[in-house]
Amino acid sequence: MDPEHEHDDVEVPAPEPPDARLTPTDAVAGMAIRVPARGNRKLRRLIEHVNADAELKAWWHVANVNAVVRLAINDHSWVHIQIVTNIALKLCRLLLKHGVEPSVVRDYGLEPDDSEVVVVLSALLHDVGMSIHRRDHEDWSLFLAEPKMRALLEDVYDEPDRTVVVSEALQAITSHRADGEPLSLEAGILRVADALDMAKGRSRIPFERGSVTIHSLSAAAVDEVRITDGQTKPVMVEIVMNNSSGIYQVDGLLKAKLRGSGLEPYVEVIARIDTEAEKRLVPVYRLEI
């Protein structure tokens, strides 16, 4: 597809049912990450390598088996990866559009295209450690991701630029944990993007299996997450909910990830309860950081 005709909104595939018994070969066969490369040749080449990498896809599959089948928590499949990657890239581009300077541009004299590569690379590999264990999965992700990143970027960057891009992507991965400390704009973008995969499709598996907790109930209440140009800040995140239990996702989870991300000056969050029964109670909720 010609870059000029690419759109930012990429269609999101449905995750596999949790009880689907797929061989590893069958599970990875349908995986294909799509992002709007927009003429970024380095990013386009990276995605080509990712979509040809059966080992990386196998990690995504095992991560989701651990998450959904064994732990009965929310979706950690390649679908989650595609959603987070596209959200992160959209955040990155909106910030660039509004004049926010990426850290790799400011600190290393690299280009905005390189910032996009760091954001996408970190998003693609941020949860591969779930293939080992949920506990401390960010650390396991670092262990697996470092050599894989170097392989994916082998014909994209020469040294020393390749090491800079890999190091910045690894810093983003370790910083997406609950108590993480992002040191760059790119790391903050990943941290917030991961939290913004909150629409009900992600909670469908535990909720439909009968796991009714505040986590599954509130996630099921979120119908849509819209990311656009902001009114008072560069980025507007609008969360559309079908009942007010979804406020837990916003105030309890998203707030924790946004606080300390470095994106606080740039992102405004509004939640709308889109049901007549609750409009009289809480029609609009603004997140205060």
Side-chain angles (χ1 to χ4, degrees), residues 101-110 168 183-184:
E101 188 176 36
S103 294
V104 299
V105 174
R106 181 194 66 211
D107 298 334
Y108 302 108
L110 298 180
E168 291 296 308
L183 301 178
S184 68

Side-chain angles (χ1 to χ4, degrees), residues 62-131:
V62 178
N64 203 45
V65 168
N66 282 337
V68 173
V69 177
R70 296 171 176 173
L71 294 174
I73 60 175
N74 52 6
D75 174 56
H76 280 74
S77 70
W78 73 279
V79 176
H80 168 63
I81 299 301
Q82 171 144 303
I83 292 170
V84 172
T85 301
N86 278 279
I87 289 174
L89 186 56
K90 190 163 193 175
L91 290 172
C92 183
R93 286 175 173 169
L94 281 172
L95 293 169
L96 283 167
K97 175 183 175 182
H98 288 276
V100 180
E101 188 176 36
S103 294
V104 299
V105 174
R106 181 194 66 211
D107 298 334
Y108 302 108
L110 298 180
E111 300 297 324
D113 279 0
D114 301 310
S115 179
E116 292 185 0
V117 171
V118 169
V119 165
V120 168
L121 187 64
S122 64
L124 290 168
L125 286 115
H126 78 280
D127 270 346
V128 293
M130 281 285 296
S131 65

Side-chain angles (χ1 to χ4, degrees), residues 12-51:
V12 176
E16 290 291 341
D19 54 354
R21 296 295 185 260
L22 298 174
T23 67
T25 299
D26 289 339
V28 306
M31 296 181 184
I33 297 296
R34 294 178 60 237
V35 301
R38 270 200 198 169
N40 185 336
R41 287 180 291 180
K42 295 173 183 175
L43 181 57
R44 188 181 296 276
R45 190 66 177 147
L46 169 62
I47 296 301
E48 289 173 357
H49 290 327
V50 166
N51 283 328

